[in-house]
Amino acid sequence: MKAVLLLSLLLWVSGSMAQAQERRITGKVVAVDDGATLPGVNVTVKGTNRGTQTDETGSYQILTTNGDRLVFTFIGFKTQEVAVANQSVLDVKLQNDAGMLDEVVVTALGIERKRNELAYSAQKVEGDVVAQSRDANFVNALSGKVAGLEIRRNNTMGGSTNVVLRGVKSLTGNNQALFVVDGVPFDNSNNNVNGQSYGYGGYDYGNAAADINPDDIASVEVLKGAAASALYGSRASNGVIMITTKKGSKNKGLGITINAGVTVGRINKATFVNYQKEYGAGYGAYYEDASGYFLSRDINGDGKDDLVTPMSEDASYGGKFDPAKLVYQWDAFDPASPNFGKARPWVAGANDPTTFFRDALTTSNSIFLDQSGDRGYFKLGYTRNGEQGILPNSRITKDLVNFSASYNLTNKLTASALANISNVSGLGRYGTGYDDKNVATNFRQWWQTNVDLGDQKEAYFRNRKNVTWNWTDPTDLTPIYWDNPYFTRYENYQNDTRFRTFGNTMLNYKALSWLTIMGRVAVDSYTENQEERKAVGTVGVSGYNRVTRSFRELNYDLIATIDKPLSANLTLKGVLGTNIRKSHTESIAASTNGGLVVPGLYALSNSKNPLEAPDERSTDIQVNGVFASASLGFRNFLFLDGGIRRDVSSTL
């Protein structure tokens, strides 16, 4: 009885203490300058995920305790932090943050606007933040940096990155945001084989936006919604990733900037298959010997049947391991093996498939030279990225050259130029999906735990032949389902190259104090080659595939920009322009037919049978567009803002 009373007393005391400490705070948030109520102010309890927003009257209420501190944040105002203490009503006055309102944002066509002049969402990520990760694909560095931006990266070497703004809008169409560099669209095509992105076999060649040099990025603006991207037409309907590259330093004299980074990675064995070490090859007691778990053959010629691994099987539900039991395994049939003609103890392999992977190594080094003067600037940079994958015989190298310059020809006329060159070379990209190119498919689902990867490695490098653990039968030494994984990586490999040039030349003429006219010609062009191999002796038919693809887009822009004060407090800003876009895409894909005649010679002319007609495709597009946008602002308030583009002609 006493225990019950004591427990009740403790519960009452603790409840009273909690009630005394935790209470609801109410209040109102207004502006210091004019006392105007501020709806939509974020009110959060510091160090927690509890928060709320002020309503249309600027009022809020939130549950707090005595030791809490409330943080008030609102665009255009300085963040304020207030201690709760013993207060139950907490009114706050926020001060204007002129610096934030005056922050310059790069919008469509590379036009600069102040943040308070925008009627849509635009979020900025500084170039230093993008470059910090030293990732060869700068898009991956945007993950978690922008609200509403979904970054889905592939875990393959140099793989694609999916960029979606504010959710998927189409079940069957394109959901990718448009990439724009210094006001000019930048092609971000993914040219993997059909079906690869749906889990079928193939290689992931990455997305073309990876050609952008992270060390050359000054800032990234993410423009969301139709209002932000209207001037680029329908292909910007999913939003715009607006990239501004670095220009020359404001400091006079020659400047030198050096960046270097090294990243080391390895597989996480905790997420890999946990291999059992109790049973070996087979699917059960379905085979030839008395136990049903092994083949029964006279291997040594003494007239007695010996135990032989059921090598054609690719599972590990067979005979229980027993070191006293001698079994002829796959290497007993390899004449070059020290175990040729020998039975070995029936035990699990000492080196399981996790030993197949190596440490990944990525290096990124760059040097930039820049100089500014009274009339202009120049910048020249070189970046070298090298990536060694976690799989044997895998690497990607990337060479990037960036140049930009500007010169004031007169007080009113300025000429500028931008040129970027990238050369990407890939070797041994990882196979993906359910396919024999993907060794992980073999390791994670179809494997014999009695196989030692160290022995498989030695077997391949002794003669560079497909000495597999998965023979069809002791009397038929051809691979049935799976190749030696080292043979797959060193013989059935792919390679690819992409050479790209991107740049523009531009003239800016200050016709009047409030009127600027800009003419620009921009080009985005690349050629890529992809080669894939299946060596003689591999599972299935040997062969060689080759794809050559080229892309070229020209943009001609003539744009008038208006920035005219109508009064001391009223400003009119506008853009009127025309654009001509011409693009040409061409590809040709061809394969050998029926296998290769000469082993190790990978050429279309080495086809056993006559070549089938190649797949040739060519597309030409020309779009003539006119566009306009206007905004009318009074001090820090935007009365009107809108933009429209109309494509007046389009030809295929």
Side-chain angles (χ1 to χ4, degrees):
M1 184 65 179
K2 291 182 178 179
V4 174
L5 290 174
L6 181 60
L7 179 60
S8 300
L9 180 61
L10 289 173
L11 290 174
W12 179 80
V13 171
S14 62
S16 299
M17 291 176 63
Q19 190 173 16
Q21 292 176 354
E22 192 172 69
R23 66 185 185 281
R24 191 171 300 277
I25 296 291
T26 61
K28 181 174 286 190
V29 183
V30 299
V32 169
D33 291 348
D34 53 11
T37 57
L38 298 177
V41 176
N42 291 315
V43 185
T44 59
V45 179
K46 186 177 181 180
T48 73
N49 57 4
R50 287 180 291 152
T52 185
Q53 284 189 336
T54 57
D55 60 19
E56 62 276 2
T57 66
S59 301
Y60 73 94
Q61 56 178 333
I62 190 171
L63 200 63
T64 67
T65 60
N66 289 345
D68 285 339
R69 298 181 69 85
L70 295 183
V71 180
F72 299 82
T73 56
F74 193 53
I75 293 177
F77 291 82
K78 294 181 179 180
T79 298
Q80 189 167 336
E81 185 177 313
V82 183
V84 172
N86 295 320
Q87 304 174 80
S88 58
V89 177
L90 190 58
D91 295 331
V92 174
K93 295 181 179 181
L94 297 183
Q95 293 183 339
N96 286 329
D97 188 348
M100 180 177 290
L101 291 174
D102 291 337
E103 180 185 3
V104 175
V105 176
V106 180
T107 64
L109 304 174
I111 298 170
E112 294 183 347
R113 301 274 292 276
K114 292 182 180 179
R115 186 174 294 279
N116 65 313
E117 296 173 344
L118 300 179
Y120 50 80
S121 174
Q123 196 161 347
K124 183 176 183 178
V125 180
E126 297 293 343
D128 292 343
V129 176
V130 174
Q132 278 177 357
S133 65
R134 311 307 297 164
D135 197 307
N137 189 344
F138 89 95
V139 181
N140 296 326
L142 297 179
S143 180
K145 302 294 191 305
V146 178
L149 178 63
E150 183 181 9
I151 302 293
R152 292 185 179 180
R153 64 178 299 175
N154 201 311
N155 62 357
T156 65
M157 179 187 66
S160 306
T161 299
N162 193 32
V163 182
V164 178
L165 264 173
R166 290 187 171 177
V168 172
K169 302 175 183 63
S170 172
L171 293 177
T172 58
N174 180 28
N175 288 285
Q176 297 292 300
L178 176 68
F179 282 77
V180 176
V181 178
D182 292 327
V184 180
F186 189 90
D187 183 71
N188 185 38
S189 296
N190 181 297
N191 294 316
N192 298 341
V193 297
N194 292 333
Q196 186 274 335
S197 59
Y198 299 100
Y200 297 100
Y203 297 102
D204 188 351
Y205 289 96
N207 54 306
D211 293 345
I212 299 173
N213 186 358
D215 288 331
D216 192 41
I217 295 177
S219 66
V220 179
E221 306 280 354
V222 180
L223 310 182
K224 309 168 187 177
S229 51
L231 301 188
Y232 288 110
S234 59
R235 61 177 177 169
S237 59
N238 296 316
V240 175
I241 307 296
M242 179 75 62
I243 297 147
T244 303
T245 60
K246 294 178 179 178
K247 306 302 186 286
S249 171
K250 294 181 180 180
N251 299 323
K252 293 184 179 181
L254 182 64
I256 302 176
T257 303
I258 298 175
N259 300 295
V262 177
T263 304
V264 179
R266 61 181 53 179
I267 68 164
N268 184 355
K269 294 186 179 181
T271 64
F272 206 72
V273 176
N274 184 17
Y275 292 98
Q276 56 84 18
K277 306 290 186 179
E278 194 170 352
Y279 300 94
Y283 278 93
Y286 306 123
Y287 307 105
E288 301 168 359
D289 81 314
S291 70
Y293 289 107
F294 299 94
L295 302 180
S296 184
R297 309 289 177 86
D298 181 7
I299 302 300
N300 58 17
D302 62 359
K304 297 179 181 179
D305 287 337
D306 301 301
L307 297 180
V308 180
T309 304
M311 296 176 294
S312 64
E313 305 291 29
D314 48 10
S316 296
Y317 299 99
K320 187 170 184 173
F321 288 130
D322 180 359
K325 187 177 293 183
L326 297 179
V327 179
Y328 287 88
Q329 300 186 47
W330 61 270
D331 52 354
F333 305 94
D334 174 18
S337 171
N339 294 321
F340 178 64
K342 299 177 183 178
R344 292 193 287 116
W346 185 237
V347 294
N351 297 291
D352 66 29
T354 61
T355 63
F356 184 76
F357 301 93
R358 62 183 182 177
D359 290 347
L361 178 65
T362 302
T363 59
S364 178
N365 304 294
S366 65
I367 181 170
F368 283 84
L369 305 176
D370 63 82
Q371 186 171 19
S372 296
D374 295 333
R375 305 192 67 174
Y377 71 85
F378 86 91
K379 177 211 64 184
L380 177 64
Y382 170 71
T383 300
R384 169 80 172 188
N385 290 324
E387 185 173 1
Q388 173 185 283
I390 60 173
L391 293 179
N393 196 38
S394 62
R395 63 180 180 273
I396 295 176
T397 57
K398 186 183 299 185
D399 295 285
L400 306 168
V401 176
N402 307 103
F403 172 80
S404 64
S406 178
Y407 189 74
N408 298 327
L409 301 174
T410 68
N411 291 334
K412 292 187 175 183
L413 184 63
T414 301
S416 60
L418 167 75
N420 299 291
I421 299 174
S422 65
N423 186 30
V424 182
S425 178
L427 173 70
R429 293 180 188 262
Y430 311 157
T432 65
Y434 190 83
D435 192 89
D436 55 6
K437 301 182 183 72
N438 184 2
V439 293
T441 304
N442 182 188
F443 293 156
R444 296 188 69 93
Q445 185 172 4
W446 311 106
W447 187 248
Q448 294 180 2
T449 55
N450 50 283
V451 175
D452 188 308
L453 256 297
D455 294 338
Q456 280 279 283
K457 182 177 182 179
E458 292 175 3
Y460 167 71
F461 281 106
R462 275 194 295 265
N463 52 30
R464 302 274 178 168
K465 298 283 183 66
N466 189 13
V467 182
T468 181
W469 55 272
N470 196 209
W471 298 126
T472 301
D473 189 82
T475 60
D476 183 3
L477 298 181
T478 57
I480 184 170
Y481 300 122
W482 301 102
D483 299 317
N484 181 312
Y486 288 93
F487 184 88
T488 298
R489 292 301 307 162
Y490 285 94
E491 303 296 335
N492 295 347
Y493 65 93
Q494 63 75 234
N495 67 282
D496 61 275
T497 59
R498 180 169 64 236
F499 183 82
R500 184 172 197 160
T501 56
F502 174 84
N504 64 68
T505 57
M506 182 167 58
L507 287 174
N508 270 286
Y509 181 64
K510 191 76 172 178
L512 300 169
S513 61
W514 51 269
L515 176 64
T516 302
I517 299 174
M518 183 266 283
R520 177 172 59 199
V521 179
V523 61
D524 182 12
S525 176
Y526 63 83
T527 300
E528 58 184 356
N529 295 295
Q530 299 168 358
E531 298 178 275
E532 300 178 7
R533 302 162 177 78
K534 286 195 73 172
V536 174
T538 193
V539 172
V541 180
S542 61
Y544 169 72
N545 306 324
R546 180 171 180 172
V547 177
T548 300
R549 185 182 295 104
S550 63
F551 170 84
R552 183 179 69 254
E553 179 173 297
L554 293 169
N555 277 277
Y556 304 89
D557 296 303
L558 182 62
I559 302 172
T561 304
I562 300 169
D563 188 352
K564 184 174 179 60
L566 302 180
S567 69
N569 298 318
L570 192 62
T571 301
L572 173 65
K573 295 193 176 185
V575 174
L576 178 64
T578 182
N579 165 261
I580 299 175
R581 172 167 62 97
K582 296 181 179 181
S583 62
H584 174 78
T585 306
E586 185 176 306
S587 66
I588 180 169
S591 304
T592 55
N593 183 14
L596 300 174
V597 178
V598 180
L601 177 59
Y602 296 102
L604 296 174
S605 59
N606 193 30
S607 176
K608 277 190 175 181
N609 300 326
L611 294 176
E612 296 180 352
D615 182 4
E616 296 184 83
R617 303 183 184 186
S618 180
T619 304
D620 286 285
I621 299 175
Q622 177 172 325
V623 178
N624 301 334
V626 293
F627 50 85
S629 71
S631 66
L632 188 63
F634 181 79
R635 290 185 181 177
N636 290 330
F637 296 95
L638 198 65
F639 282 162
L640 172 68
D641 184 63
I644 188 171
R645 176 187 173 108
R646 183 174 181 182
D647 294 331
V648 296
S649 67
S650 178
T651 59
L652 298 180

